[in-house]
Amino acid sequence: MEIMVFFSLMLLVCSVSTNQTEADNEIVDQQISNQQPCPQDIHAVLREMAVSLAEQKVEIRTLKQENQDHITKLKELESHKNEIDWLKQKSKEQEAKLETEIDQLKQEQQVKQVAFSVSLLEQGSRDIGPFNIHMTLIFKRVVTNIGNAYNKHTGIFTAPVRGVYHFDWSIYGHGNIQTGAPLFRNGEHIFAAYEHPASGGVSASNGASLLLEVGDQVSVRLWANTRIYDNQNHHNTFSGHLIFTM
């Protein structure tokens, strides 16, 4: 009797265990069916990812290189622009310099023709002097003034170009008083024309060739305490001309 009861219990346990195992297997199968299928070869996937990453790296390097090429081209263009601007500026400077040289050549061509001849009074007659200092004589009557180097308002000739010039001057006096007039270059006494008449009228003259720099001034001055006389015959004259440039 006891043996029969034992076998009955064993059958009951086996039946329960079998049912539990089948239930568990159904739950596991259900969970597996709900999951995404796993790749069959994970190494293949990794290789694909590595290839894709390498391709992206190559593309990135290519983009970097293209970007660097663009930067280099931009720098070259900027350099070319600066060079073009510099060339334009130099061209303007050279054009201005050429215009200046042309103007200078024209001026030099004009100032190569320098000559003047003047006398003391335009009209009438009178004595000039004496004065207690040297006085620049202003020759008012202009016969010739090629190059406009003589100023009839100041009595001064101004050299327009470096060169050798020749000057002549003459003076006329009368009565018992000295007559004298030296030629001055800037403040330098060069030569003098001088007479001391006892009576009547006398004249004196002189000449000089001078090397003048541009802007040098030449004039005739009445000596202190001397006197000259002029009338419609124009006895007192001052003349000069450029011999050659240097």
Side-chain angles (χ1 to χ4, degrees), residues 201-220:
V202 294
S203 64
S205 61
N206 210 337
S209 294
L210 303 176
L211 172 61
L212 301 181
E213 302 293 337
V214 175
D216 280 352
Q217 295 183 337
V218 177
S219 62
V220 176

Side-chain angles (χ1 to χ4, degrees), residues 32-229:
I32 291 172
S33 64
N34 292 334
Q35 292 178 356
Q36 293 295 329
C38 295
Q40 295 181 355
D41 192 347
I42 191 66
H43 296 290
V45 174
L46 292 175
R47 284 194 297 270
E48 290 179 0
M49 293 176 64
V51 170
S52 177
L53 182 60
E55 291 176 350
Q56 292 177 1
K57 287 182 178 180
V58 171
E59 185 177 356
I60 290 172
R61 284 197 297 269
T62 301
L63 291 174
K64 285 183 177 179
Q65 184 61 46
E66 290 178 353
N67 185 55
Q68 187 62 41
D69 292 342
H70 290 322
I71 292 174
T72 302
K73 289 181 179 179
L74 287 174
K75 289 181 178 179
E76 290 177 353
L77 290 174
E78 184 67 23
S79 177
H80 291 327
K81 181 179 179 298
N82 293 336
E83 185 176 356
I84 290 172
D85 292 341
W86 181 82
L87 289 173
K88 286 182 179 179
Q89 182 62 32
K90 293 297 291 184
S91 178
K92 289 181 180 179
E93 292 175 358
Q94 291 177 353
E95 183 178 353
K97 183 179 179 181
L98 183 59
E99 290 178 356
T100 301
E101 290 177 351
I102 291 173
D103 291 339
Q104 289 177 347
L105 289 173
K106 289 180 179 178
Q107 184 178 4
E108 288 179 1
Q109 183 63 32
Q110 291 175 353
V111 301
K112 283 181 179 178
Q113 300 175 350
V114 179
F116 74 98
S117 186
V118 294
S119 64
L120 196 59
L121 298 180
E122 290 182 309
Q123 60 184 3
S125 61
R126 66 185 176 94
D127 290 320
I128 295 93
F131 304 104
N132 58 5
I133 59 173
H134 288 358
M135 185 69 66
T136 299
L137 291 173
I138 300 176
F139 296 84
K140 293 289 189 180
R141 182 172 179 261
V142 178
V143 177
T144 304
N145 192 16
I146 299 171
N148 294 314
Y150 173 79
N151 188 332
K152 75 176 212 175
H153 302 290
T154 63
I156 296 173
F157 171 86
T158 302
V161 64
R162 186 176 189 269
V164 176
Y165 298 78
H166 183 77
F167 300 93
D168 294 292
W169 70 105
S170 64
I171 56 174
Y172 177 82
H174 66 94
N176 188 19
I177 187 170
Q178 300 177 82
T179 297
L183 183 75
F184 274 79
R185 175 177 56 194
N186 300 325
E188 177 188 6
H189 178 134
I190 304 299
F191 298 148
Y194 174 82
E195 279 290 346
H196 189 177
S199 62
V202 294
S203 64
S205 61
N206 210 337
S209 294
L210 303 176
L211 172 61
L212 301 181
E213 302 293 337
V214 175
D216 280 352
Q217 295 183 337
V218 177
S219 62
V220 176
R221 300 182 186 181
L222 181 65
W223 243 335
N225 303 313
T226 68
R227 183 182 68 188
I228 58 176
Y229 171 81

